[in-house]
């Protein structure tokens, strides 16, 4: 079990993204990469290893040039071919349009009251206890319940839905792929049933007879003059689940942890107008996704390093977010940064054509969480060491012990 550390001494020697001290506190290793080795080759993974770029300008370049740096082979270090949103234009554009037309700002904003009530319901469940694991009690269940509501999973099915989603996430780190496969089959089976029933309603009574939710939007969308099939929609639904849950959990837990650890919690609690700045600075300072991968489509030379065609390149958002070429005082968590500048420049939601369509929703959930936890848990404090999520590409607590006065 790896602990999360706030800061650390400088690192020396060869960069190893899997080394325990790097997992515990990646910032010093990222600083050394930016300073000494802006294009790094790590040989210890698979046959070819992978390259890492760490400067803001280079990370922006890699994720911005979709012709040179392909998404076709997956966003992780392993070569996969999933298609759908995990692809390059023009295929990506079809699915991207579908998601952005269904996942609108209007739909997100309309949820504010529902999210607040749901979050308050979760807090009611543990506020009298005086201590809790924030992740288990709050930051894990909230995003799952929210995405279930957005998709249109009825309240009566939400407990099952949460269980499958938890199993799916747990399966990501299981050695046996059957664990994840079983959870995926349950999720796919459930949505195949829902989509089928809704298609019957659509055929009989038309679109007005369907609920106004994301599933209906996905079901009624068309491309090339025809609706999307289940085979096309199911991976997308799964991506909405997986892409949005652990990341939003980490954003909420990272923000609470960092504000408490740095003694800034009371200031944000007393001045709720600081919540937006706190969420955005948390995203910059502690990005839930430390970095993602692209694959080179031709040989390229970067900072004098020859990268062959078909090479995996890890673009480190976390490092770009602390590059002194892009930020003043990058290693200080500050609540007085310009909000627009922060939003424009940190890379924690990716960028360009692949920019996260769930960003507004994640921000909303985090803002509501900070306000509510401040109101309902007086004297909130850390109550032990947080442990780290079990993936070298992600950054956030798996457990975050907290205590407060009752
Ligand atoms: C703090 C929370 C979140 C973080 C840090 C985050 C991060 C990211 C990043 C870095 C990307 C870019 C992927 C790439 O370039 O290959 C992305 C894409 C995506 N995210 Fe998020 N995300 C968050 C929340 C959400 C939520 C709440 C949802 C939906 C419910 C969501 C759905 C997606 C989808 C569907 C994509 C793929 C977009 C595309 O390929 O065009 N994310 N996210």
């Amino acid at each position: 079990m790896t602990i999360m550390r706030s800061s650390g001494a400088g690192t020396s020697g060869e960069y190893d993204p899997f080394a325990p001290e790097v997992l515990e506190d990646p910032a010093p290793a990222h600083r050394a990469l930016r300073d000494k080795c802006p294009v790094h080759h790590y040989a210890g993974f698979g046959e070819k290893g992978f390259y890492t770029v760490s400067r803001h300008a280079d990370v922006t370049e890699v994720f911005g040039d979709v012709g040179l740096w392909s998404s076709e082979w997956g966003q992780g270090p392993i070569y996969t071919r999933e298609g759908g949103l995990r692809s390059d234009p023009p295929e990506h554009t079809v699915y991207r349009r579908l998601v952005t037309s269904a996942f609108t700002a209007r739909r997100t904003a309309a949820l504010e009251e529902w999210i607040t009530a749901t979050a308050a319901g979760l807090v009611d469940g543990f506020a009298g206890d005086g201590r809790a694991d924030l992740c288990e009690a709050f930051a894990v269940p909230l995003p799952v319940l929210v995405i279930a509501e957005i998709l249109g999973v009825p309240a009566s099915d939400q407990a099952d839905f949460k269980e499958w989603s938890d199993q799916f996430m747990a399966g990501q780190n299981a050695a046996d792929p059957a664990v994840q496969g079983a959870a995926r089959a349950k999720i796919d089976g459930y949505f195949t049933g829902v989509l089928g029933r809704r298609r019957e309603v659509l055929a009989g009574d038309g679109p007005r007879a369907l609920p106004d939710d994301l599933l209906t939007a996905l079901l009624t969308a068309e491309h090339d003059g025809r609706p999307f099939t289940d085979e096309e929609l199911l991976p997308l639904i799964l991506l909405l689940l997986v892409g949005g849950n652990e990341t939003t959990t980490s954003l909420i837990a990272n923000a609470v942890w960092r504000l408490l650890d740095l003694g800034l919690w009371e200031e944000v609690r007393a001045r709720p107008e600081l919540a937006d700045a706190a969420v955005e600075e948390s995203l910059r300072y502690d990005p839930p996704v430390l970095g993602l991968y692209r694959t080179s489509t031709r040989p390229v030379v970067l900072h004098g390093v020859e990268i062959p065609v078909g090479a995996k390149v890890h673009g480190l958002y976390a490092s770009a977010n602390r590059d002194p070429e892009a930020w003043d005082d990058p290693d200080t968590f500050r609540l007085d940064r310009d909000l627009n500048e922060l939003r424009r420049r940190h890379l924690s939601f990716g960028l360009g054509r692949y920019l996260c369509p769930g960003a507004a929703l994640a921000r909303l959930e985090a803002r509501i969480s900070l306000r509510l936890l401040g109101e309902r848990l007086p004297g909130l404090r850390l109550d032990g060491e947080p442990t780290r999520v079990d993936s070298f590409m992600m950054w956030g607590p798996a457990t975050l012990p907290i205590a407060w006065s009752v």
Side-chain angles (χ1 to χ4, degrees):
M1 189 166 56
T2 310
I3 302 294
M4 285 177 87
R5 299 272 177 226
S6 288
S7 63
T11 186
S12 60
E14 183 64 3
Y15 169 66
D16 175 358
F18 303 99
E21 66 277 13
V22 176
L23 290 173
E24 229 174 72
D25 183 10
H30 292 176
R31 188 182 314 134
L33 281 177
R34 283 191 311 268
D35 289 350
K36 299 183 199 135
C37 189
V39 180
H40 177 273
H41 184 247
Y42 177 72
F45 190 92
E47 268 175 39
K48 300 189 196 174
F50 56 75
Y51 295 80
T52 300
V53 296
S54 46
R55 293 184 182 167
H56 193 279
D58 297 328
V59 179
T60 308
E61 175 71 22
V62 164
F63 289 100
D65 187 346
V66 300
L68 177 52
W69 302 106
S70 170
S71 294
E72 203 72 30
W73 301 96
Q75 299 161 304
I78 296 172
Y79 292 78
T80 58
R81 290 211 84 162
E82 291 175 45
L85 277 174
R86 305 277 200 242
S87 67
D88 293 333
E91 180 178 350
H92 176 264
T93 315
V94 172
Y95 289 89
R96 174 81 193 178
R97 262 196 220 119
L98 173 63
V99 170
T100 49
S101 67
F103 209 118
T104 55
R106 181 185 64 84
R107 213 181 280 286
T108 302
L111 273 173
E112 178 151 5
E113 230 172 89
W114 189 92
I115 297 174
T116 306
T118 302
L122 289 172
V123 176
D124 286 343
F126 63 85
D129 299 347
R131 57 193 305 196
D133 166 9
L134 182 76
C135 294
E136 187 185 6
F138 184 82
V140 170
L142 183 64
V144 183
L145 294 171
V146 170
I147 191 66
E149 176 70 14
I150 291 182
L151 281 167
V153 176
S156 54
D157 293 339
Q158 288 188 1
D160 281 344
F161 180 77
K162 182 173 172 324
E163 194 184 313
W164 304 329
S165 162
D166 289 350
Q167 282 169 8
F168 187 83
M169 296 311 290
Q172 287 195 317
N173 293 314
D176 180 2
V179 176
Q180 195 174 35
R184 182 174 185 155
K186 287 182 199 159
I187 296 170
D188 282 356
Y190 176 79
F191 283 107
T192 303
V194 178
L195 290 170
R197 286 193 293 282
R198 289 198 184 190
R199 284 208 176 88
E200 282 172 23
V201 174
L202 186 64
D205 302 320
R208 283 173 183 277
L210 291 172
D212 176 20
D213 56 28
L214 188 65
L215 275 184
T216 294
L218 295 176
L219 192 73
T220 51
E222 294 200 344
H223 71 117
D224 294 340
R226 64 160 180 91
F228 288 83
T229 62
D230 281 9
E231 289 66 36
E232 290 166 333
L233 291 181
L234 291 173
L236 192 71
I237 292 170
L238 201 71
L239 187 62
L240 289 172
L241 271 178
V242 186
N245 285 347
E246 190 175 338
T247 46
T248 309
T249 296
S250 291
L251 171 58
I252 295 168
N254 281 341
V256 172
W257 169 59
R258 191 64 83 176
L259 291 169
L260 287 172
D261 193 49
L262 295 176
L264 295 169
W265 179 258
E266 275 309 311
E267 188 179 345
V268 175
R269 199 182 73 83
R271 295 177 54 203
E273 70 276 13
L274 287 179
D276 279 333
V279 168
E280 219 55 39
E281 179 70 343
S282 168
L283 281 161
R284 180 189 75 85
Y285 204 76
D286 293 305
V289 184
L290 290 169
L292 290 177
Y293 287 75
R294 294 294 190 256
T295 304
S296 54
T297 58
R298 56 181 160 81
V300 56
V301 179
L302 198 59
H303 295 292
V305 177
E306 288 178 31
I307 300 177
V309 62
K312 282 276 185 179
V313 175
H314 195 192
L316 283 177
Y317 305 135
S319 176
N321 286 355
R322 297 218 200 171
D323 185 344
E325 293 292 320
W327 308 91
D328 290 337
D329 200 10
D331 286 317
T332 308
F333 185 105
R334 286 169 50 169
L335 294 170
D336 62 352
R337 295 186 192 272
D338 181 83
L339 197 55
N340 291 328
E341 188 74 7
L342 259 180
R343 287 201 172 136
R344 205 164 47 78
R345 209 123 41 101
H346 79 61
L347 303 180
S348 306
F349 286 121
L351 65 148
R353 288 166 186 265
Y354 294 82
L355 184 72
C356 177
L361 177 64
R363 287 180 170 123
L364 179 63
E365 289 182 51
R367 178 156 42 82
I368 290 172
S369 300
L370 291 188
R371 201 188 65 224
L372 198 69
L373 296 171
E375 281 167 14
R376 298 286 308 278
L377 308 179
L380 189 67
R381 58 195 180 276
L382 295 175
D383 189 30
E385 296 274 9
T387 57
R388 189 195 186 291
V389 288
D390 191 14
S391 159
F392 83 104
M393 288 163 62
M394 311 293 277
W395 176 244
T399 57
L400 180 61
I402 50 166
W404 59 94
S405 318
V406 285

